[in-house]
Amino acid sequence: MSSIRQKNADRIEELKGVRDTGLDEARLVAFLAHAWQTPKGLYGWLATVDHKVIGRRYVVTAFLFLILAGLSALVMRFQLAAPEAGRISPDFYDQLFTMHGTTMMFLFAVPVMEAFAVYLVPLMIGTRNVAFPRLNAFSYWIYVSGGIMIWIAFAFNTGADAGWFSYVPLAGQFYGIGKRPDFWAQMVTYTEVSALAVAVEIIATVLKQRAPGMTLDRIPLYVWSVLITAFVILFAMPAVMVSSTMLILDRLVGTKFFDQAAGGDALLWQHLFWFFGHPEVYIIFIPATGFVSAILPTFVRRPVFGYLGIVLSLIAIGFLSFGLWVHHMFATGLPQLGESFFTASSMMIAIPSGIQVFCWIATIWGGRPIFATPLLFVLGFIFTFVIGGLTGVMVASVPIDLQVHDTYFVVAHFHYVLVGGAVFPLLGAVYYWFPKATGRMLSERLGHLNFWFVFLGFNLTFFPMHILGLQGMPRRVYTYPLESGWGSANLFISLSSLVLFVGFALFFLNMLLSFRNGLPAGDNPWGASTLEWATTSPPPSYNFPRLPVVTHREPLWAEPDTLAVIEGLRVDAREVLGGMVADAVPQLRLPSADNSIWPLLSATAVGGTFFASIYTPWAVVWGAIPISIGFICWFWPKGEPEDEE
Amino acid sequence: MKQRPVVDVSHLPTYGFGAASPMWWGTLAFIALEATGFALAIGTYFYLAVLAPHWPIAAPAPDLAPGTAILIILLASLVPNHLVDRWAKQQDFHKVRAGMVFMTIVGILPLIVRIWEFPALRISWDQNAYGSIVWFLLALHTSHLLTDVGDTIVLAVLMFTQKGKVGRRLSDVSDNAFYWDFVVASWAVLYLVMYWAPRM
Amino acid sequence: MSTLFLTACSDWQSALHAHGDNARKIFDLIWTFGAVAATTWLLTVLVLAMALFRSRPPEARSPLQIDPDQERRLNCAVGSATALTVVVLIALTTGSFFAGKSIASMSGSETVTVRVTGHQWWWEIRYPKIGSLQAIVTANELHVPVGESVKVKLDSLDVIHSFWVPSLAGKRDLIPGRPSELTLIADKPGVYRGQCAEFCGYQHAHMAITVVAESREAFDAWRSRQDANAVTPSGDEERRGQAAFLGTGCALCHAIRGTPASGTVGPDLTHVAGRRSLAADALAMTPGALAAWVADPQSVKPGAKMPRIALSADDLNAVITYLGSLE
């Protein structure tokens, strides 16, 4: 390296470091690969801050949790296939449905959406890494330790068992069983810390590191969706951190937040939880709509219809999502005027959601569809999500909600919204971006098969639940009497869930097979328009040899053969470009953090403290010492070249 | 894909202050989420107050002295805090060093007074919901004080090492001053809630 | 597919079989919303299919070549669809509001008041003193006169439960420290099943309540039968059973009016044999089921608060006979 540096010495005299200006391709790549590398071996694996490595890791981990949560659901369906089946105990059943919901919401759905954002955002906005790369690594380690902790607790018969929203007093100090709710509460804290960290870095990345020329009206819709989601996370997640902390304080040190005998209130929990819990649904759903807006134009060969309308709808959904929480609490008997307000706001959120659906259909109308697997999932999404949205309008009505609340109707409704509305686009997104991330195409034949099994299996499993709910079957019952007449429908549902299971098995099979044997993808296999397709598949550690400049909302369609780029960045040290928030005019050359083991060690210290605090409150005091050491070492500069200037 | 260089960024600086710096936006985002946490905790305080027939529940209003003393210290600290911020932006290393040492002392002072503030609440956290929420609020603010004082100390030490003589550290000092403003502002609000709401 | 399930549906605890004012108003609302939702969905899917399969001019073009006329038409279509959505949502919100108001207006004209307390995992039911009749306590079976408004006062002493008899009314949560109430009318004699609708622990699945709606005369007759103390044991077997009941743990938790047994942890058993079911409708009331329940509650309702009491076979039989006599 030093010889290369020597040769360029005359040119870089007035500028510190080696710059990419005029550097020939081979040297440029050699410098960048050196500066941005993840070292080989275990240390590199643990210390990397490459957003692509972390993003991939996040995705794989989230899908492992999906498998665990899916298998729990299958066991529940085994029990419910016949009335009074007695195949598993109520105790185990309660843990299963709690772990299913908790895992799906906290360990799969939110993290997988963050994972995609962490992977895709820097590529789509044309930068080399996220704004706070070490925070990104930290967030992953915290997330994975929280997930492993609660599943190990489950393996030791200490699985959370009070439902994924852990209502007090059932989860409180008098009725919560053993340490089960404590593990639940601390796991929530872990995952919220990680989600908040990702939200902060996404906000800073999107606002400050967009390619020059990527003005607000040229930001890809997917990036808009994760930006808005990040803001929703910022204002929603603190609510569940506050409430889960209060819960664990009530349980461990005898505070009285939720104890009605000492001035506390059980409903306070519900208010705080749902103030987070409802936006949570949109934290999962908004990025999914981003997937749709990214996939659709590529496969109908035209830009999305109504870009501005979709952006404004997303912003409206973000705001409105904070005005809906009470619709989870209609049956608690709040004042009628208040309930009417929440009915109206819940209905109103159907308007921006509707606008998005209309715009997508208009996009299809104006384009020429190519029926590849990602598009199939998008179409399956519209088909099923609209049902979930419409049943959402039904449960927004107070009187209807009083009949269907906490029944299988609601179970059907939120699975239509979350699976139809978020998992279908997610599967489509995997098919769409798998070639970019791995350099190989997924099999289209298996993909079509995968789609039809998932689509039919899903609808056959969940549609009948609407009717079961209206027929009076409450949710969260481990069994039901023979006389109820719910037996045949339940058997049908259990058998259908096997079809859905096969669908997901095909999905994972396709990934495993194609990862080894898939067709080579090339840079832009789908002929897409956004910047991530301008680099190689998989992208190099530095993402782009030279950072792109954007002159159009669909850059690769406007200029298919050449990429406008910047020059003048350092290539012998990690450097990215910082720009102005609104119009992305270049402003700073920003040093970007190098690999470090300290995010992992800090996460271990934080995680260990949370874990120990389940057993003694003093853990917080003693844990502060390793945590402080971890963070100080993390931030202490180590004489990287970036400090020379 | 062919590349067509169109912009030269070689002469851009490597750090900036305020909205130019991503770290400032990161700090702002953290302030936003922590402020949300404070707001929800304050919301809980009033929610419980409205439910209770008498507020505070079975306790006298908290003793004013320590809380007020902290408020005065914190408000007074805004002056040196802004001076440090200005010196950082003027890239005056000597003044920044002195200022950071002073801010470290100013940051530790309220933490010492706080030792007397918990007993001044005149209720224990496990007595009733009122006790729980006031301890919660005070602990929440204390954790913010501790975090920022810790950050101030690290930065102050850093300023005396070779690594401190880098422009980017001045940007960090400026962001740290920004966060201190938030710690002061949040105490002003909490002080009114905890000490004056029960006296209304 | 949906008809398959609808025909299979029974009259058993279903929101689709409304037999009371409250439930019927909601039933109408469900159908209205359901019809609007189904129409909307069909239209959306139809337009989606047209968008996908409409015939297009064959020439290939660049993805950025947009036909401005078509764009204008699409704009118009999206705008109209949005406007229509707004109108429909306003109509539905208004409909829902008035239905809610009319349900709320049912309260105020009640002729019977009853207090229902949720316990893990059974329902305690108290009828207040009225005229010459004393206050009584029973469990899991709520009697109401047909056609009259009944005020059900709800509360809970342990965790949150939810009172839900779908054929008669929407549900209402029972939250510790937050008493609430609900108005019921049954407009035809019958037995309506309900079930706890808020997850409340191990035996949430077996926490059912039966509402027996009967004529005013039958209701009054039932009420005065309940007013009486428990029958005195008439035969040797019953007397032995009572002694065993009082002598072992049973009386610590259960009350039988007219005997020293006055526990309040479990259901009042003064007229237990007069009820239709046992253990919050986990079992029908038959001598065999009663024996199975008393002999080993944990195998019927795992996790239930009732422990297994060690009784000799003879004592067990005697207790069953005694309890079976308490009509």
Side-chain angles (χ1 to χ4, degrees):
Chain A
M1 281 301 151
S2 59
S3 62
I4 305 175
R5 193 183 285 198
Q6 203 53 49
K7 282 176 192 164
N8 289 288
D10 50 334
R11 195 178 323 116
I12 59 168
E13 209 165 32
E14 73 282 331
L15 298 170
K16 290 269 170 65
V18 183
R19 305 303 176 96
D20 57 8
T21 317
L23 216 56
D24 70 59
E25 205 68 12
R27 280 183 193 161
L28 173 69
V29 166
F31 267 117
L32 285 170
H34 181 74
W36 290 86
Q37 69 175 333
T38 290
K40 294 246 177 310
L42 182 66
Y43 175 81
W45 196 79
L46 297 174
T48 185
V49 294
D50 185 336
H51 74 99
K52 297 177 293 303
V53 179
I54 293 168
R56 236 164 30 214
R57 221 173 255 179
Y58 243 122
V59 172
V60 170
T61 313
F63 274 118
L64 290 176
F65 283 120
L66 169 75
I67 293 173
L68 285 175
L71 291 176
S72 334
L74 271 191
V75 180
M76 289 192 277
R77 284 319 315 176
F78 177 61
Q79 159 73 4
L80 290 177
E84 297 288 3
R87 290 166 187 156
I88 56 176
S89 71
D91 180 40
F92 189 53
Y93 188 89
D94 294 350
Q95 293 183 57
L96 277 179
F97 79 71
T98 304
M99 291 302 287
H100 171 78
T102 303
T103 304
M104 285 295 194
M105 295 302 273
F106 292 106
L107 299 174
F108 166 64
V110 173
V112 84
M113 293 303 173
E114 287 161 356
F116 269 76
V118 159
Y119 189 93
L120 289 172
V121 163
L123 290 165
M124 289 180 99
I125 65 172
T127 186
R128 301 200 194 282
N129 205 345
V130 291
F132 310 119
R134 290 183 184 173
L135 187 64
N136 195 21
F138 175 79
S139 86
Y140 172 76
W141 296 119
I142 277 284
Y143 151 66
V144 76
S145 50
I148 289 173
M149 181 191 74
I150 197 170
W151 275 93
I152 288 180
F154 173 75
F156 285 96
N157 195 29
T158 312
D161 66 347
W164 84 273
F165 37 79
S166 282
Y167 273 5
V168 290
L170 191 62
Q173 64 271 48
F174 303 119
Y175 297 94
I177 298 160
K179 290 286 180 193
R180 290 176 179 181
D182 304 295
F183 275 102
W184 181 88
Q186 286 310 59
M187 186 282 305
V188 167
T189 310
Y190 279 80
T191 51
E192 305 318 290
V193 167
S194 95
L196 285 164
V198 174
V200 169
E201 82 207 22
I202 291 289
I203 289 172
T205 310
V206 176
L207 293 185
K208 293 301 294 178
Q209 287 183 209
R210 300 198 308 278
M214 191 180 275
T215 49
L216 292 181
D217 60 343
R218 289 184 190 148
I219 298 180
L221 282 171
Y222 172 70
V223 177
W224 265 117
S225 76
V226 296
L227 178 66
I228 290 159
T229 306
F231 278 106
V232 176
I233 290 177
L234 214 54
F235 296 110
M237 297 264 178
V240 74
M241 288 192 68
V242 166
S243 56
S244 66
T245 306
M246 287 173 174
L247 174 63
I248 205 155
L249 289 173
D250 265 18
R251 293 180 52 87
L252 296 179
V253 299
T255 56
K256 302 285 188 281
F257 291 107
F258 308 120
D259 180 1
Q260 78 280 356
D265 182 36
L267 269 192
L268 171 62
W269 169 265
Q270 298 189 20
H271 281 293
L272 285 172
F273 186 87
W274 290 118
F275 184 82
F276 142 81
H278 200 83
E280 167 93 341
V281 175
Y282 291 92
I283 289 167
I284 296 164
F285 173 67
I286 296 175
T289 68
F291 291 147
V292 174
S293 298
I295 294 170
L296 206 49
T298 303
F299 293 96
V300 302
R301 311 306 302 160
R302 63 152 283 163
V304 161
F305 175 87
Y307 175 92
L308 181 64
I310 291 180
V311 172
L312 293 178
S313 296
L314 289 174
I315 295 174
I317 291 175
F319 273 105
L320 285 172
S321 70
F322 286 94
L324 312 179
W325 83 92
V326 167
H327 78 210
H328 296 266
M329 301 165 62
F330 285 154
T332 62
L334 296 164
Q336 219 215 342
L337 186 68
E339 290 188 340
S340 305
F341 168 82
F342 284 97
T343 293
S345 63
S346 307
M347 298 257 188
M348 216 151 73
I349 205 158
I351 299 170
S353 306
I355 291 176
Q356 288 205 79
V357 172
F358 302 146
C359 286
W360 291 322
I361 294 179
T363 310
I364 297 173
W365 190 286
R368 322 177 130 263
I370 300 163
F371 290 90
T373 311
L375 183 67
L376 290 185
F377 276 107
V378 166
L379 299 176
F381 153 79
I382 298 179
F383 185 96
T384 46
F385 168 69
V386 170
I387 296 179
L390 289 163
T391 51
V393 169
M394 293 179 78
V395 298
S397 155
V398 178
I400 294 180
D401 185 65
L402 293 181
Q403 280 291 24
V404 300
H405 178 69
D406 271 332
T407 70
Y408 266 82
F409 187 92
V410 165
V411 176
H413 158 69
F414 67 69
H415 281 91
Y416 265 80
V417 173
L418 289 168
V419 181
V423 176
F424 281 16
L426 174 73
L427 298 184
V430 171
Y431 276 88
Y432 185 56
W433 280 296
F434 187 88
K436 177 50 62 186
T438 65
R440 292 187 184 274
M441 307 294 289
L442 284 165
S443 153
E444 272 293 296
R445 213 161 53 150
L446 267 180
H448 277 60
L449 213 57
N450 168 198
F451 168 75
W452 285 108
F453 267 91
V454 167
F455 177 76
L456 290 175
F458 170 78
N459 282 290
L460 293 176
T461 304
F462 289 96
F463 194 81
M465 290 187 187
H466 290 110
I467 295 149
L468 265 184
L470 291 171
Q471 286 178 348
M473 182 161 169
R475 71 195 277 203
R476 298 177 165 179
V477 289
Y478 76 99
T479 193
Y480 52 91
L482 179 64
E483 306 83 56
S484 63
W486 302 329
S488 53
N490 270 300
L491 179 62
F492 180 85
I493 290 170
S494 292
L495 293 174
S496 306
S497 70
L498 294 175
V499 180
L500 186 56
F501 174 75
V502 171
F504 274 96
L506 289 171
F507 171 72
F508 290 114
L509 183 72
N510 197 356
M511 286 215 281
L512 287 177
L513 293 180
S514 304
F515 186 72
R516 297 216 164 275
N517 308 317
L519 296 172
D523 291 2
N524 192 358
W526 311 113
S529 71
T530 36
L531 286 179
E532 77 271 29
W533 304 103
T535 185
T536 53
S537 310
S541 56
Y542 44 89
N543 290 354
F544 302 91
R546 288 188 171 83
L547 292 184
V549 173
V550 170
T551 52
H552 194 280
R553 191 182 291 158
E554 318 281 351
L556 304 196
W557 282 350
E559 218 177 342
D561 305 316
T562 43
L563 188 65
V565 294
I566 59 157
E567 52 181 19
L569 279 187
R570 275 183 82 155
V571 293
D572 59 336
R574 297 188 175 204
E575 198 164 80
V576 298
L577 189 65
M580 313 240 283
V581 169
D583 41 14
V585 171
Q587 213 175 5
L588 298 172
R589 291 180 297 116
L590 294 163
S592 179
D594 210 333
N595 300 323
S596 165
I597 195 74
W598 289 104
L600 169 62
L601 298 180
S602 303
T604 313
V606 172
T609 304
F610 285 162
F611 174 77
S613 73
I614 293 174
Y615 293 93
T616 163
W618 287 103
V620 179
V621 178
W622 297 117
I625 298 166
I627 292 175
S628 311
I629 295 172
F631 282 120
I632 289 170
C633 293
W634 168 346
F635 288 107
W636 195 268
K638 312 217 174 29
E640 290 104 343
E642 76 220 33
D643 285 325
E644 293 164 13
E645 290 185 40
Chain B
M1 204 177 235
K2 280 201 313 225
Q3 295 174 358
R4 180 166 57 89
V6 292
V7 183
D8 182 13
V9 298
S10 53
H11 291 281
L12 291 179
T14 59
Y15 63 92
F17 293 93
S21 145
M23 190 55 89
W24 185 86
W25 286 93
T27 310
L28 183 66
F30 273 109
I31 288 177
L33 76 90
E34 282 156 23
T36 309
F38 276 120
L40 288 161
I42 291 170
T44 301
Y45 180 97
F46 286 110
Y47 178 94
L48 293 169
V50 169
L51 278 186
H54 299 289
W55 193 260
I57 304 173
D63 198 350
L64 275 174
T68 313
I70 289 179
L71 182 70
I72 292 166
I73 299 171
L74 289 181
L75 288 177
S77 76
L78 287 177
V79 178
N81 190 46
H82 278 255
L83 285 175
V84 170
D85 185 38
R86 189 185 304 164
W87 294 331
K89 284 174 181 158
Q90 290 165 353
Q91 322 229 8
D92 188 333
F93 278 99
H94 287 288
K95 284 185 180 164
V96 168
R97 274 186 186 175
M100 289 303 278
V101 171
F102 188 72
M103 280 310 293
T104 302
I105 297 161
V106 171
I108 292 174
L109 217 55
L111 279 171
I112 295 170
V113 182
R114 187 137 290 171
I115 296 169
W116 286 277
E117 190 172 3
F118 282 98
L121 294 174
R122 297 198 277 191
I123 186 161
S124 161
W125 69 84
D126 57 358
Q127 219 167 315
N128 58 43
Y130 164 74
S132 304
I133 188 64
V134 286
W135 274 77
F136 188 83
L137 288 171
L138 203 56
L140 196 61
H141 189 260
T142 309
S143 66
H144 282 74
L145 260 181
L146 276 169
T147 315
D148 201 14
V149 172
D151 193 33
T152 308
I153 294 172
V154 172
L155 277 172
V157 173
L158 200 53
M159 294 318 287
F160 286 93
T161 69
Q162 208 51 33
K163 284 160 184 151
K165 291 184 184 150
V166 176
R168 281 177 67 212
R169 304 288 160 251
L170 295 172
S171 168
D172 292 347
V173 167
S174 168
D175 290 335
N176 183 56
F178 177 39
Y179 192 80
W180 184 257
D181 284 347
F182 166 66
V183 173
V184 176
S186 58
W187 181 246
V189 176
L190 283 182
Y191 172 78
L192 287 178
V193 171
M194 290 172 58
Y195 291 92
W196 292 98
R199 290 184 158 80
M200 289 296 170
Chain C
M1 187 172 65
S2 63
T3 45
L4 181 97
F5 290 101
L6 284 173
T7 47
C9 113
S10 65
D11 201 347
W12 201 81
Q13 185 178 311
S14 172
L16 300 176
H17 291 83
H19 295 294
D21 241 17
N22 181 323
R24 196 171 314 98
K25 281 173 182 148
I26 303 180
F27 177 75
D28 294 342
L29 206 58
I30 290 177
W31 273 113
T32 314
F33 272 61
V36 172
T39 316
T40 313
W41 180 78
L42 277 175
L43 279 175
T44 313
V45 172
L46 202 68
V47 178
L48 174 65
M50 284 164 67
L52 284 168
F53 300 113
R54 75 192 186 91
S55 66
R56 294 173 162 88
E59 91 279 12
R61 52 174 180 75
S62 142
L64 291 179
Q65 254 175 298
I66 302 273
D67 171 9
D69 286 336
Q70 187 187 49
E71 217 62 4
R72 210 171 311 118
R73 285 196 302 275
L74 288 176
N75 233 329
C76 196
V78 169
S80 324
T82 308
L84 193 64
T85 309
V86 174
V87 172
V88 169
L89 284 174
I90 290 175
L92 289 177
T93 309
T94 316
S96 160
F97 177 73
F98 282 106
K101 237 180 117 159
S102 109
I103 289 168
S105 70
M106 285 168 59
S107 66
S109 54
E110 293 88 350
T111 53
V112 177
T113 297
V114 53
R115 177 179 293 280
V116 173
T117 305
H119 295 275
Q120 281 178 322
W121 294 276
W122 60 284
W123 305 90
E124 180 178 283
I125 298 171
R126 292 167 178 272
Y127 286 81
K129 180 174 172 358
I130 183 163
S132 60
L133 298 168
Q134 61 174 321
I136 54 156
V137 187
T138 175
N140 302 328
E141 191 171 300
L142 183 64
H143 284 249
V144 298
V146 156
E148 295 180 37
S149 278
V150 178
K151 175 178 286 191
V152 186
K153 296 185 152 191
L154 303 164
D155 62 16
S156 165
L157 297 177
D158 44 38
V159 300
I160 301 176
H161 304 278
S162 192
F163 179 89
W164 183 41
V165 186
S167 299
L168 299 181
K171 59 182 69 64
R172 175 54 60 95
D173 290 352
L174 291 72
I175 302 169
R178 286 187 168 257
S180 61
E181 51 186 56
L182 181 74
T183 304
L184 284 183
I185 305 179
D187 51 22
K188 144 177 152 199
V191 178
Y192 305 103
R193 192 177 188 270
Q195 187 167 359
C196 175
E198 179 65 63
F199 177 64
C200 56
Y202 291 134
Q203 285 301 332
H204 170 56
H206 288 126
M207 184 169 165
I209 188 166
T210 310
V211 178
V212 179
E214 51 204 352
S215 65
R216 185 74 210 185
E217 297 73 45
F219 171 75
D220 286 340
W222 172 84
R223 180 71 179 81
S224 29
R225 270 202 312 281
Q226 296 291 313
D227 201 51
N229 282 353
V231 288
T232 0
S234 46
D236 284 346
E237 186 74 354
E238 284 89 343
R239 268 192 291 278
R240 178 174 181 175
Q242 188 187 45
F245 187 94
L246 296 173
T248 59
C250 308
L252 292 174
C253 295
H254 294 281
I256 297 178
R257 237 182 309 132
T259 76
S262 56
T264 54
V265 176
D268 184 298
L269 301 178
T270 309
H271 298 285
V272 63
R275 295 182 207 147
R276 286 154 191 273
S277 64
L278 256 178
D281 203 27
L283 297 168
M285 180 64 77
T286 62
L290 190 57
W293 172 243
V294 177
D296 189 6
Q298 295 300 320
S299 73
V300 177
K301 280 174 85 163
K305 305 284 183 189
M306 178 159 156
R308 182 177 175 171
I309 303 273
L311 289 170
S312 69
D314 289 346
D315 276 350
L316 178 66
N317 286 335
V319 167
I320 303 307
T321 313
Y322 169 61
L323 290 176
S325 74
L326 300 176
E327 297 228 356

